[in-house]
Amino acid sequence: MTASFHLNRLTASAAAEWNSADGDQVLDVALWFDRCGRPQRNVRLRYHHGELIARTALPAAAPPLPLAVIPPLVNAHTHLEFSSLPEPLQPSCPFTEWIGAVIRCRRNIPDPADAVAAGLKECSDAGVLGVGEITTSDAGHSALSAVSAGTVVSFRELTGFLPDRIDAQMTILQNHIRACRQTESQDRPCLPGISPHAPYSVHPELFRAAVSACEHHQVPLAVHLAETREERELLECGTGPFRSFLESLDLWHPRVLKPGTRIRSWLQELRRLRHALAIHCNYLEQDEIAFLGRHPQIAAVYCPRTHAFFGHAPHPWQKILAGGGTVILATDGRSSNPDLNLWKEVRFLAARAPSMSVETLLPMVTVRAADALGLSLHPAAATLIAIPHDSPEALLSAAAFPIGTLISRSKRMTLSLNGRSLSS
Ligand SMILES: [Zn+2]
């Protein structure tokens, strides 16, 4: 058997040597976290043919690299087409005006494929190996297939509030699933997903048809839900800013929404699916939180910095968790967030909810997020977080940041560093 190869410096040249050397690959690290977010200190990881074959205590004389190895980061919800924006769109309030800014911005993006490629690179540089992306064009979808590092679930967005849009949107859905399935490959998979946009932009029949199609094809579905109080008002009463907004676009029809409709009835449709994402869930009633508790396969996607950008009321994520529901974190797009660094969402939340443990927070951006998307990532794949000291609390400190990823490829573990220095 050839000699094992230790990585003992975290430089690009040392990583390249480690990636290509013969024999077992060995990594000595200060912290290793399991799928449940439980830490182990001073660990030697030994890889053979791209599999983790041993995890042992580090000999006292061997200094570990100042790293935490965590399960792969997964950013379950973003809109990569906005990745070239230098800052979020304004105004953030009222919400319907922000939606108007999004529509105008989308029309003016010079090359959506370039923006999507830039967004994927930004995710990858932030240590992310799984992405749930809202795709709105064929050009954006092609960029995902060509550039993807890690795994992307491409949720094709459906919009159509009026009934005459339903057939065309369902054709888009069928074509998207077919196109993704034709180009799926082990190396750079781009998996299909569907995203009927939101209750104020999707006819209820289109929503139900999309859920049925996702159930039939076994693909995940993501829908923006309970994002604002005004959305609830539109559903329940057919009044408010969203009605005016739809009227201004000549899209309002009084018989599309049955009076008294609740978010609960949209959530209930999702229970037919194995993988469903209810994006935002900023304004849920108690019975809807209880419903999520009984259906943990429906993940509430909380985007902390986007939530703060809009100045929403406090998010019920802790109540959802306490009720047995699933909450995962995501960045959303650069149209409402300054960047796509998922780790900053963790740090943002950790700073505001200091009583929350690593065991609670870490799965919300790793294994639970992967499960919500239906991703099965390689068990040895990992994200590397640079840490300022070796106690488990260091992971959530302001000085910790993602520095690279580890993936199994061609019977080797490939370490990719994002170029940030350990001292930055
Ligand atoms: Zn979104």
Side-chain angles (χ1 to χ4, degrees):
M1 185 174 164
T2 43
S4 60
F5 192 90
H6 274 68
L7 184 74
N8 52 19
R9 287 174 302 121
L10 218 56
T11 61
S13 60
E17 225 179 316
W18 190 80
N19 287 344
S20 59
D22 289 336
D24 289 0
Q25 295 164 292
V26 177
L27 200 56
D28 294 342
V29 296
L31 286 172
W32 177 85
F33 286 83
D34 69 9
R35 282 176 55 85
C36 299
R38 290 177 302 227
Q40 190 180 336
R41 285 167 97 149
N42 296 328
V43 178
R44 172 163 289 176
L45 303 168
R46 179 177 291 273
Y47 300 95
H48 179 73
H49 284 175
E51 305 288 341
L52 178 63
I53 57 163
R55 196 183 72 247
T56 52
L58 197 58
L65 290 164
L67 286 179
V69 175
I70 64 171
L73 287 175
V74 174
N75 188 357
H77 178 63
T78 185
H79 300 253
L80 296 179
E81 65 181 322
F82 299 116
S83 300
S84 51
L85 289 179
E87 55 190 26
L89 295 170
Q90 295 289 350
S92 61
C93 183
F95 186 76
T96 45
E97 284 199 25
W98 181 83
I99 292 280
V102 167
I103 294 169
R104 286 191 298 280
C105 172
R106 183 178 282 150
R107 283 196 206 113
N108 294 326
I109 293 171
D111 187 342
D114 277 358
V116 167
L120 273 181
K121 180 169 184 329
E122 189 178 354
C123 289
S124 165
D125 285 349
V128 166
L129 284 175
V131 177
E133 136 76 350
I134 304 292
T135 301
T136 60
S137 67
D138 291 343
H141 180 233
S142 316
L144 290 175
S145 313
V147 190
S148 163
T151 305
V152 178
V153 179
S154 168
F155 288 93
R156 185 67 191 227
E157 184 168 271
L158 309 179
T159 55
F161 189 72
L162 296 178
D164 60 3
R165 295 281 300 276
I166 295 175
D167 288 351
Q169 294 294 299
M170 289 305 290
T171 302
I172 289 173
L173 175 152
Q174 299 292 353
N175 289 344
H176 182 66
I177 293 174
R178 196 176 311 119
C180 287
R181 294 249 153 102
Q182 277 167 0
T183 56
E184 266 177 43
S185 75
Q186 278 306 99
D187 243 15
R188 291 180 172 175
C190 178
L191 307 175
I194 295 297
S195 180
H197 175 249
Y200 56 84
S201 55
V202 168
H203 192 289
E205 267 179 41
L206 173 56
F207 179 62
R208 277 191 288 274
V211 173
S212 296
C214 287
E215 185 182 18
H216 173 75
H217 291 287
Q218 297 285 298
V219 303
L221 180 144
V223 56
H224 296 80
L225 217 51
E227 187 166 8
T228 61
R229 292 190 184 93
E230 292 76 16
E231 177 189 322
R232 296 196 76 103
E233 181 185 351
L234 182 81
L235 284 184
E236 288 168 20
C237 313
T239 56
F242 271 114
R243 174 167 170 171
S244 310
F245 178 71
L246 290 168
E247 282 173 341
S248 74
L249 297 171
D250 208 16
L251 290 174
W252 173 250
H253 192 289
R255 282 203 291 276
V256 169
L257 298 173
K258 243 195 273 174
T261 304
R262 297 189 60 228
I263 292 294
R264 167 80 182 256
S265 64
W266 283 62
L267 282 173
Q268 271 167 334
E269 291 292 333
L270 299 179
R271 101 195 126 160
R272 293 193 266 146
L273 300 172
R274 282 175 62 190
H275 302 286
L277 286 77
I279 301 158
H280 299 311
C281 291
N282 296 330
Y283 297 95
L284 292 181
E285 304 285 348
Q286 195 50 49
D287 66 308
E288 292 157 351
I289 290 172
F291 179 85
L292 288 177
R294 293 193 298 278
H295 299 90
Q297 80 279 18
I298 305 172
V301 183
Y302 172 30
C303 304
R305 289 185 297 159
T306 283
H307 178 273
F309 168 74
F310 288 113
H312 289 303
H315 194 281
W317 65 283
Q318 287 165 298
K319 290 182 189 161
I320 300 170
L321 286 177
T326 301
V327 180
I328 58 176
L329 306 181
T331 60
D332 214 335
R334 272 176 168 258
S335 46
S336 57
N337 203 356
D339 58 61
L340 303 178
N341 189 333
L342 183 64
W343 195 250
K344 288 189 180 174
E345 307 296 336
V346 180
R347 289 221 312 245
F348 183 92
L349 210 52
R352 281 154 187 80
S355 62
M356 280 288 151
S357 64
V358 175
E359 283 92 334
T360 299
L361 292 174
L362 197 56
M364 291 164 72
V365 286
T366 57
V367 292
R368 289 238 172 77
D371 288 347
L373 293 176
L375 293 183
S376 46
L377 298 170
H378 190 281
T383 294
L384 308 182
I385 307 286
I387 48 173
H389 51 86
D390 69 353
S391 73
E393 298 73 45
L395 188 70
L396 297 183
S397 77
F401 58 89
I403 196 162
T405 56
L406 203 51
I407 60 170
S408 178
R409 180 178 279 166
S410 308
K411 299 215 158 192
R412 302 288 298 161
M413 290 309 290
T414 300
L415 172 63
S416 303
L417 298 176
N418 62 13
R420 281 192 69 182
S421 133
L422 268 182
S423 58
S424 64

